[in-house]
Amino acid sequence: MTTTAAPTRKTADERLPGVWNLGLHQGALELRQFFRQREQVVFTFAFPIVFLFLFASIFSDDVEGAGITASQLYVPAMIAAGIMSTSFQSLGISIAIERDEKVLRRLSGTPMPPSVYFLGKIWLVLVTGFLETVALLIVGTVFYDVDLPGDTTAWLTFGWVFLLGLTGCALLGIAISSVPKSGRSATSVVVLPFLVLQFISGVYIAIDTLPDWMLNLGALFPLKWMCQGLRGVFLPESAKVLEMTDSWEYGRIALVLGAWCIGGLLLCLGTFRWKRRRDG
């Protein structure tokens, strides 16, 4: 009489890696590829810092009635712009190029779950967005006398504004990556709306000097609310007078940014393509 051995359970080392583990590896790969492209690294991190130096040097007078200087006002605005640059702009351009070069098409034909690709992008924008924010905060505190928050509540506020803003902008970047017809046109398609949003969202121009229709248009997008939330974190309470409602409106900020996270996800699900249109 012959007996067959009972199947043994696979050890942890023998099991196939899970989605989260694969996502970490994909994120590490994305980061290595990003930091190997020196021109892209310099442009991504230097662009908001250079603009901060320029605007803060040109407009350095005291802001009447707000208890701050114009230089200090630009710091949280540039942090918000930096977050959107490392998420919306970076993903919108890079994914369009990867689609045009058929990288996405090849990935879709592998056993790798599609979610792993997006997890890798999430790790990329989280790390680069955090590093960009740290760099701008160092510049702001050293050169423009911006005070870092001294209480936990303010840092928690910064945390959820950062995460919700980054997530919403990243999803919007993934969605807009399907708009360019080729990788060569991706930069112009993505950069133009980002540049316009910076002007109508209080990054380069104070919101109290913008026409109402521009303010209303900017309020439809996350950048304006990220700027406002970060002003509330890094500027004194006296600066509230610069806001349209004399309040930081944290509840509305959370509502709008949360809505963009949900809306951005729906946009991605409805528009994302692994192949170019002309590839069928």
Side-chain angles (χ1 to χ4, degrees):
M1 181 177 177
T2 60
T3 59
T4 57
T8 58
R9 296 181 63 183
K10 291 184 177 181
T11 65
D13 292 335
E14 294 172 328
R15 294 174 192 156
L16 291 175
V19 171
W20 286 107
N21 194 22
L22 286 172
L24 283 172
H25 288 290
Q26 182 68 19
L29 175 62
E30 293 279 356
L31 287 166
R32 283 198 299 271
Q33 291 176 338
F34 173 80
F35 284 107
R36 283 173 182 168
Q37 300 176 23
R38 295 182 181 178
E39 296 85 357
Q40 182 181 1
V41 173
V42 171
F43 178 81
T44 299
F45 290 112
F47 188 82
I49 295 174
V50 169
F51 268 69
L52 175 58
F53 273 119
L54 287 174
F55 280 91
S57 299
I58 297 170
F59 307 101
S60 57
D61 296 335
D62 292 340
V63 180
E64 186 177 354
I68 59 171
T69 63
S71 302
Q72 292 172 319
L73 184 61
Y74 277 113
V75 173
M78 289 301 176
I79 292 174
I83 292 171
M84 193 167 188
S85 173
T86 55
S87 53
F88 170 78
Q89 180 174 278
S90 176
L91 293 186
I93 295 173
S94 64
I95 293 176
I97 292 174
E98 289 175 355
R99 181 184 292 111
D100 192 49
E101 295 176 348
K102 299 184 179 181
V103 174
L104 297 187
R105 188 174 186 175
R106 291 194 293 270
L107 286 175
S108 66
T110 67
M112 183 184 78
S115 56
V116 171
Y117 173 77
F118 296 106
L119 282 173
K121 295 296 184 185
I122 289 172
W123 281 113
L124 174 64
V125 298
L126 274 174
V127 173
T128 55
F130 176 77
L131 293 176
E132 180 78 86
T133 300
V134 170
L136 285 164
L137 279 178
I138 291 173
V139 172
T141 54
V142 172
F143 294 99
Y144 304 115
D145 299 321
V146 171
D147 294 325
L148 296 179
D151 59 283
T152 305
T153 302
W155 282 113
L156 288 175
T157 301
F158 166 77
W160 64 256
V161 171
F162 175 84
L163 289 175
L164 287 179
L166 188 78
T167 302
C169 291
L171 291 169
L172 192 56
I174 294 172
I176 202 173
S177 70
S178 298
V179 175
K181 293 183 179 180
S182 68
R184 288 177 295 180
S185 65
T187 300
S188 57
V189 170
V190 175
V191 170
L192 179 59
F194 178 43
L195 184 62
V196 171
L197 279 178
Q198 289 177 89
F199 275 97
I200 66 175
S201 300
V203 176
Y204 299 141
I205 301 175
I207 58 173
D208 58 351
T209 61
L210 292 171
D212 289 342
W213 69 268
M214 282 191 181
L215 288 173
N216 293 332
L217 181 61
L220 297 175
F221 298 93
L223 183 57
K224 184 264 184 189
W225 301 101
M226 291 163 59
C227 290
Q228 185 169 325
L230 294 175
R231 284 195 294 269
V233 172
F234 296 110
L235 297 182
E237 290 295 301
S238 57
K240 282 183 179 180
V241 298
L242 299 175
E243 306 300 329
M244 299 303 296
T245 60
D246 294 332
S247 171
W248 300 126
E249 297 183 288
Y250 289 131
R252 181 173 292 184
I253 293 170
L255 182 64
V256 175
L257 294 182
W260 266 109
C261 291
I262 298 172
L265 179 60
L266 294 176
L267 277 174
C268 291
L269 293 174
T271 62
F272 186 80
R273 295 175 290 104
W274 292 93
K275 299 183 293 183
R276 299 175 299 181
R277 294 191 187 96
R278 59 178 178 270
D279 291 335

